[in-house]
Amino acid sequence: MFQKIIPFTLLALLVSGCSGSEEKEVTKQGEEKALEEKQTVEKTGPDLSTINQLVIPTTLEEWQNVEPGVFALDYTLEHETSSWPQETRELRTEEKKELESVIAAADDTETIFKALRYYFGSKVYNDLLDQQINYAAVMNEPYLPTPTKEFGANENGEAVPTKAFLLLDASSSMLLPVDGKQKMGIAKIAVKRFAKTLGEQNEVSLYVYGHAGTQENKDKELSCTKIDEVYPLQKYNEKEFDATVDEVAAKGWTPLAAAIQTAHEASKDVEGPITVYIVSDGAETCDGDPVKAAEEFAKDNENRKVNIIGFNVDQKGEDQLKAVAEAGNGEYISADNSEELNNSIAEKWVIPSMLDTFYIRLSGPNGFTVSNAKYSIGQVSMKISNAVNIESSRFREMIKVLFSEELITTEQEEELSEKVKQHADQLKAINTQLRDEKNKEVDDEYERIHQNIEAWAQEIEKIRAEQ
């Protein structure tokens, strides 16, 4: 009996020992889990590594790439660029907690200041700085052709008034882009400058073709038979001519032959030198024979020519247009982009009169142009400066809140306020420098254009004196 009791007692002790061991293990695991949870809680808070990596801008490039504050995205552009001080809204609970956690984790003023910028920095700098940096001083620059003595002169070398028939291709292919701009828009600018440079001494006419119907087959007959003289042959009037050009819309097919024939018929009874100038981006598509039409126009009259500016044409189109110009005793000029098109007509020109030269000298940008450009620059600069003021005011209000909540000391408040002031002063200095640079670009562009005009005018006077 005694022997039977002993094993049972041992078994009970063994079981009891195992149970105590298991309880201790469970307790240990619970303590470790609680410790992990505590550590996780302690780690919860601001991402100080992100805040510390924040770049406080000291250069234009750094300022241009600065990120907006995560809590400042709801501020409007009007609020951020106002000339008047704006009330800072009260801190939201989550915003206040974020600031408190930053100060609890790192109470140095450099980190706190970066936190202010990280959370409440203005969101408008990027767009305003891009607008200012990318501002281009674009001014009216008159077309300054290089004239030849041979063209438009009689047997005594004296300038002879000419008549110019401008034929503008308004077919659907002119809707395609070149240099990021529509061909038709570029061609209109070139035609306007062309007509303006001809001046008061010469009569001008403008025909358009391809502007009727559409490029669809059902509209082919309409598009191929409608050629309109939209500006009748007369003395040039800039306002009327430009308004006429602006109304032209590219739509249909390319009746090049019919356009030349129309100009031919209209000029049969016109005396004096006549030149047809064609601005086109492609070959005939209306089954006509433009080579024959040009030959008929120039036949038996050396003072009649067909000059063609091929604008961004393919090889097939260029081959035909060259043949048309050759048949018309004229010149073919290739222009692959907007700059070449604007300069292409300088290959052949009438020597401008003294009155023309005088008007071109006056046609460059004037003081109002410069003033308007600098005003635009100044307006953007003022918005940037206002944004700096509003942002700085917001930072100062946040510092007051932190001090009133006793989250920072008096010394920290003073240091932070000084950092805000120095930061604002530095940004304003960069803004002023950028404004001055842009104003200088305006002055330089104005000076460049007028120097070119004066050099051109002197060359014209020299050529005229040699006649």
Side-chain angles (χ1 to χ4, degrees):
M1 180 70 180
F2 180 73
Q3 291 177 345
K4 291 182 179 179
I5 293 174
I6 291 175
F8 180 81
T9 304
L10 289 173
L11 178 61
L13 289 172
L14 288 172
V15 171
S16 174
C18 290
S19 176
S21 175
E22 287 178 358
E23 287 178 2
K24 288 180 180 179
E25 182 66 26
V26 170
T27 302
K28 183 179 180 181
Q29 290 177 354
E31 289 175 349
E32 290 177 350
K33 183 177 181 182
L35 179 61
E36 289 178 1
E37 290 177 351
K38 181 180 179 182
Q39 290 174 341
T40 301
V41 171
E42 289 175 351
K43 290 179 180 178
T44 301
D47 184 359
L48 285 183
S49 62
T50 301
I51 292 176
N52 285 325
Q53 290 173 7
L54 184 85
V55 175
I56 300 297
T58 58
T59 66
L60 176 59
E61 291 73 23
E62 290 174 347
W63 195 12
Q64 188 182 6
N65 295 316
V66 74
E67 293 292 333
V70 294
F71 293 145
L73 298 177
D74 57 345
Y75 290 115
T76 65
L77 175 65
E78 290 74 20
H79 178 280
E80 293 292 87
T81 59
S82 172
S83 300
W84 298 95
Q86 298 293 297
E87 291 185 2
T88 303
R89 59 171 170 74
E90 292 185 2
L91 281 174
R92 301 187 183 107
T93 302
E94 67 273 16
E95 296 172 348
K96 187 176 179 181
K97 285 183 177 180
E98 285 288 332
L99 285 176
E100 290 176 349
S101 61
V102 170
I103 296 172
D107 63 353
D108 63 288
T109 54
E110 183 65 26
T111 301
I112 297 174
F113 179 64
K114 285 187 176 182
L116 291 176
R117 180 70 195 76
Y118 176 77
Y119 290 121
F120 300 103
S122 180
K123 71 174 184 177
V124 301
Y125 291 142
N126 306 76
D127 290 341
L128 290 175
L129 288 171
D130 283 345
Q131 183 179 341
Q132 191 79 306
I133 291 169
N134 295 322
Y135 178 85
V138 179
M139 301 182 186
N140 178 49
E141 184 171 2
Y143 188 41
L144 305 175
T146 304
T148 59
K149 300 176 185 178
E150 295 79 11
F151 184 77
N154 60 22
E155 62 275 9
N156 298 320
E158 297 171 342
V160 176
T162 61
K163 296 174 177 61
F165 285 70
L166 280 64
L167 275 56
L168 178 58
D169 182 354
S171 59
S172 60
S173 58
M174 292 290 278
L175 295 172
L176 297 174
V178 171
D179 299 339
K181 300 178 182 179
Q182 190 186 81
K183 285 185 182 181
M184 195 70 220
I186 297 171
K188 285 182 177 182
I189 293 173
V191 168
K192 287 179 183 179
R193 295 177 71 181
F194 179 15
K196 184 174 182 178
T197 310
L198 279 173
E200 296 284 337
Q201 182 178 347
N202 308 290
E203 294 185 356
V204 178
S205 173
L206 176 64
Y207 285 81
V208 292
Y209 61 93
H211 61 298
T214 68
Q215 71 272 28
E216 296 181 12
N217 288 328
K218 64 181 181 66
D219 288 333
K220 182 175 181 179
E221 182 178 357
L222 170 64
S223 188
C224 291
T225 56
K226 190 169 179 59
I227 292 90
D228 290 325
E229 184 183 28
V230 293
Y231 188 87
L233 186 65
Q234 59 183 297
K235 291 289 185 180
Y236 170 74
N237 180 289
E238 181 177 6
K239 184 177 180 180
E240 293 179 7
F241 187 89
D242 287 359
T244 300
V245 172
D246 288 338
E247 293 178 358
V248 177
K251 294 181 179 180
W253 297 66
T254 310
L256 179 57
I260 298 173
Q261 290 167 355
T262 300
H264 186 191
E265 288 296 321
S267 63
K268 280 186 175 180
D269 298 327
V270 177
E271 298 181 355
I274 298 176
T275 299
V276 171
Y277 291 89
I278 301 173
V279 179
S280 177
D281 74 333
E284 169 81 29
T285 62
C286 289
D287 307 318
D289 187 348
V291 175
K292 182 178 179 181
E295 184 178 10
E296 288 293 324
F297 174 80
K299 185 173 63 176
D300 302 327
N301 193 333
E302 62 180 10
N303 287 323
R304 297 200 169 196
K305 300 179 181 180
V306 177
N307 288 339
I308 298 181
I309 299 95
F311 182 31
N312 195 244
V313 300
D314 57 23
Q315 190 59 54
K316 179 182 177 182
E318 184 169 70
D319 290 343
Q320 185 185 77
L321 294 178
K322 283 182 177 179
V324 173
E326 183 178 356
N329 294 329
E331 296 257 346
Y332 173 80
I333 303 168
S334 175
D336 290 331
N337 52 54
S338 57
E339 182 179 359
E340 289 182 6
L341 179 61
N342 278 322
N343 294 326
S344 61
I345 305 168
E347 295 293 325
K348 287 288 179 183
W349 206 262
V350 178
I351 299 175
S353 66
M354 293 180 65
L355 184 59
D356 294 333
T357 306
F358 173 76
Y359 281 136
I360 289 177
R361 272 179 161 147
L362 295 179
S363 64
N366 54 36
F368 288 109
T369 304
V370 173
S371 297
N372 289 337
K374 290 186 177 182
Y375 175 78
S376 298
I377 293 169
Q379 287 294 102
V380 177
S381 181
M382 184 175 65
K383 287 183 179 180
I384 296 172
S385 181
N386 290 343
V388 173
N389 289 334
I390 296 295
E391 180 187 69
S392 299
S393 176
R394 182 158 59 243
F395 290 168
R396 287 191 292 270
E397 288 298 320
M398 297 302 171
I399 293 170
K400 287 181 180 179
V401 171
L402 296 178
F403 180 71
S404 66
E405 297 279 339
E406 298 184 351
L407 296 173
I408 59 174
T409 65
T410 302
E411 183 180 357
Q412 288 176 319
E413 180 193 25
E414 292 174 353
E415 289 180 7
L416 287 169
S417 297
E418 182 60 25
K419 284 182 180 293
V420 170
K421 180 181 183 303
Q422 291 177 357
H423 180 59
D425 290 344
Q426 191 162 36
L427 296 187
K428 288 181 179 180
I430 296 173
N431 181 37
T432 299
Q433 181 180 354
L434 177 59
R435 181 202 63 199
D436 292 345
E437 289 174 355
K438 287 299 173 179
N439 283 339
K440 185 177 184 302
E441 288 180 16
V442 171
D443 290 332
D444 289 347
E445 181 67 359
Y446 175 86
E447 187 65 23
R448 181 192 68 80
I449 292 173
H450 279 282
Q451 285 181 354
N452 288 345
I453 292 174
E454 187 58 30
W456 173 86
Q458 291 179 9
E459 181 64 22
I460 296 300
E461 291 171 359
K462 179 181 176 182
I463 293 174
R464 192 184 298 115
E466 294 173 353
Q467 290 294 326

